[in-house]
Amino acid sequence: MKKNTLRKHILKVCFFALGLPCFVISGALAQTPLLTLDLTKPCAKVSPMLYGLMTEEINHSYDGGLYAELIRNRVFKDNPTTPEGWSLVNEGADSIASIKLIAADPDKVPFDERRHAINGALTTCLRLTVEKAGSRVGIANEGYWGIPVKPATTYTASFYMKGTGRTQPPRWPGRPQPETPVKLIEDNTAGPITVTIESNDGKTVYASGTIDLAKSTFWKKYELTLKTGADAKPTTDARFVISTNRTGLYYFNLVSLFPPTYNNRANGNRIDLTQMLKDMNPKFLRFPGGNYLEGPDFASSFPWKTTLGPIENRPGHKGSWGYRPTDGMGLLEFLMWCEEIGAEPLLGVYAGYALNGDHVDAGPLLKPYIDDALDEIEYIIGDAKTYWGAKRVADGHPEPFKLTYIEIGNEDWFDRSNSYNGRFTQFREAIEKKYPKLTCISTIADRQYPDLMVKSGKKPAVLDEHYYRSSWDMWENASQYDTYDRNESKIFVGEWATREGAPTTNMNAALGDAAWMTGMERNSDLIIMSCYAPLFVNVNTATSTAPKAWQWDSDLIGYNALTSYGSPSYYVQKMFSAYLGDEIIPMAAANIPTQIRPAAPQRPNNPNIAPAPPAAPKAVPTVFYAATKDGKTGAIYLKVVNTIGKEQAVQIKLKGDVKLSKDATLVVIKGQKPEDTNTITDPEKIVPVVSQIKGVSTSFKQKLAPYSVNIYQLQTSK
Ligand code: AHR
């Protein structure tokens, strides 16, 4: 059989007889793939902001994630019908006690539940009624899928509390009697109140303290620290309890518990997760979304103004992913998070489009939204003489933050009213007028949505493209930017991911990511910024009291209350960002082997998800590559990806007058099979390994391990 006929025959057997996709390496495999780094040609510059991060409140990214607060539903607004996350502790058969949400619906507060609001944000509270106190009674919080116990750790607890025997507010003569009057209970509330971190069965107390509850009908804030012993065994099988053994009515609000935070910042972030992000060396952080910026309806976009100042002023809001964010991660916290990881903020401003499809037309009705965005920018970069700059100073951050890019909205291609053209232009003109140095990013990419793109006024300087794809899609399209017109707008790949594996991605996804990143890196004169999404996922599955923690499969970093881990994709991100030069080395490739991408059922093209898969089997490369050079140190970083389960040899050639060290560094991440992955219980199954290689020359051969991403750091002398 001739070679071609043989190949067709193999294909036929695989597709039609076995019904399975198969890997068929093209005839080119016979010759070793050759990668030539051409050091004789002028190099384009790598964008200094190429690799960054994107974040939003999804999958419990902040509440139950990065934001270190441990108490779930701390202001009791998560669910208007039940005190979600809270339960009654009642240890003795002879005690009679109950808990109840008070003023759950601030628009319809029953007469006998009035006068318990602390302020306009803290309007709902929890009441513990102790009619008979045989032994310990109290309230318990289950945390975000458990309270994390760590040895020798100091936790900071705080809460508002009042104790009173009064069952109803004073009633003017003639006022209706309450429908369900509360029994008169002897008021023994004043006195010691015990606060503990303890096992869920109450048998082991990990840390304990007391406060002295004052006799008062008015709220008072109590604070204390709780310290675990050096011998405490790390666990998430724990709860936070405030308890008493006296009768009365006890009221609680804004109950908070913080472990130590990164840099010990009050109201700060989890140490392990912050460190993981810092290790990625991100150049920017795109926030606050994503869908989280927009919100499900006009009233629910990210309410940056009510996220400022003390947490007492933050009622939380509806959010976009099915649970209510506390807004503990407010605008200033986002900015300080940027500072902590050395990233520049990239601010998304709400641009008058809601996820339910509503939009505000350009013109006078849009002006308040533009003014709001200008206020927000002023908060970030204004000096103390400006209204919002002064607020930032008062909030404890005198220095303005660095800000270069403002993104106008998010994924406005969903707005089929065609209003984005006008909305973007009105925002851009107002922002540029006040802040000529800022660059506005359009969320509609010309190539993806030519019908919806911004056409009026100046061309947007930067377009945000989003890609959620399979690994096949990534491999097939990894070189898409090679052909983009350099005279057009710059590209920000503001959300992208290879979506395989759940809740975090697997090795195959990492191979898709790495191939895609070689394409971005080779074209990083055009791709000025890129960021993977989503960043975070709380990996807890549903329990009897809490739903599954995540809403989106295929995320970068997974965690529970106690520990965290990086997906193979995380390590690929980290590797690509750590080994990056500032000049793009032109490369030529020959004999690149291919594999056959099976045909798939056709569906309409959706640029947000993936290009339509091929209608007929299609050859797709199995080796991907990019190289950059550090102009100062002479280091060359060559990235080569082998996407198949077979070792592949490559010949690497450096063209030009190069003095090359014989010693080089090789960083490899690889899997045994595409589904291999890291998990919360096996967090380091797939991690990069660094080794030294010897005998490198201007033409050298390397073997790429099956399913591997390889980075060669070569040293040239200048
Ligand atoms: O990353 C998850 C979601 O995908 C983002 O919120 C949204 O922008 C996109 O559709």
Side-chain angles (χ1 to χ4, degrees), residues 587-666:
M587 282 184 76
N591 313 324
I592 296 296
T594 55
Q595 61 177 329
I596 300 299
R597 177 177 185 178
Q602 292 301 283
R603 53 171 167 66
N605 227 353
N606 178 350
N608 190 29
I609 300 172
K618 196 170 179 187
V620 170
T622 62
V623 171
F624 297 86
Y625 51 85
T628 59
K629 181 178 172 181
D630 187 320
K632 282 196 202 85
T633 65
I636 288 177
Y637 304 104
L638 170 65
K639 292 160 179 163
V640 193
V641 185
N642 175 14
T643 62
I644 60 170
K646 256 185 83 161
E647 186 178 84
Q648 299 207 65
V650 284
Q651 187 73 32
I652 297 162
K653 215 171 147 182
L654 277 71
K655 188 173 157 194
D657 185 16
V658 197
K659 283 204 189 82
L660 191 66
S661 163
K662 285 193 171 57
D663 299 328
T665 301
L666 171 61

Side-chain angles (χ1 to χ4, degrees), residues 54-59 286 288-294 320-321 355 410-411 413-414 464 466 468 494-497 499 532-535 552 554-555 608:
M54 185 270 168
T55 180
E56 67 174 317
E57 180 57 285
I58 182 175
N59 302 328
R286 174 181 177 235
N291 290 353
Y292 187 56
L293 167 69
E294 303 163 280
S320 298
W321 293 100
L355 293 171
N410 174 60
E411 295 193 338
W413 63 72
F414 281 112
D464 182 358
H466 292 182
Y468 291 105
E495 289 181 32
W496 70 268
R499 299 201 60 197
Y532 186 100
L535 181 61
W552 185 280
S554 71
D555 305 286
N608 190 29

Side-chain angles (χ1 to χ4, degrees), residues 73 110 174 196 301 323 333 546 561 566:
N73 194 12
T196 48
S301 59
Y323 58 93
E333 284 79 15

Side-chain angles (χ1 to χ4, degrees), residues 45-116:
K45 290 279 174 213
V46 173
S47 166
M49 287 179 74
L50 182 59
Y51 295 128
L53 303 173
M54 185 270 168
T55 180
E56 67 174 317
E57 180 57 285
I58 182 175
N59 302 328
H60 285 273
S61 287
Y62 314 143
D63 295 334
L66 181 68
Y67 177 55
E69 174 65 81
L70 298 178
I71 301 297
R72 184 186 195 115
N73 194 12
R74 68 184 179 187
V75 300
F76 304 102
K77 285 179 187 277
D78 282 9
N79 185 332
T81 56
T82 176
E84 223 168 77
W86 293 93
S87 58
L88 175 72
V89 176
N90 188 350
E91 283 181 348
D94 47 352
S95 301
I96 303 176
S98 60
I99 56 172
K100 185 180 189 311
L101 272 186
I102 298 296
D105 176 357
D107 295 329
K108 235 166 80 194
V109 181
F111 186 83
D112 53 339
E113 289 184 17
R114 290 182 191 171
R115 303 189 184 198
H116 294 299

Side-chain angles (χ1 to χ4, degrees), residues 308-329:
L308 301 178
I311 57 172
E312 278 83 347
N313 296 339
R314 305 185 199 187
H317 75 286
K318 197 169 176 182
S320 298
W321 293 100
Y323 58 93
R324 186 181 173 85
T326 61
D327 290 337
M329 180 65 78

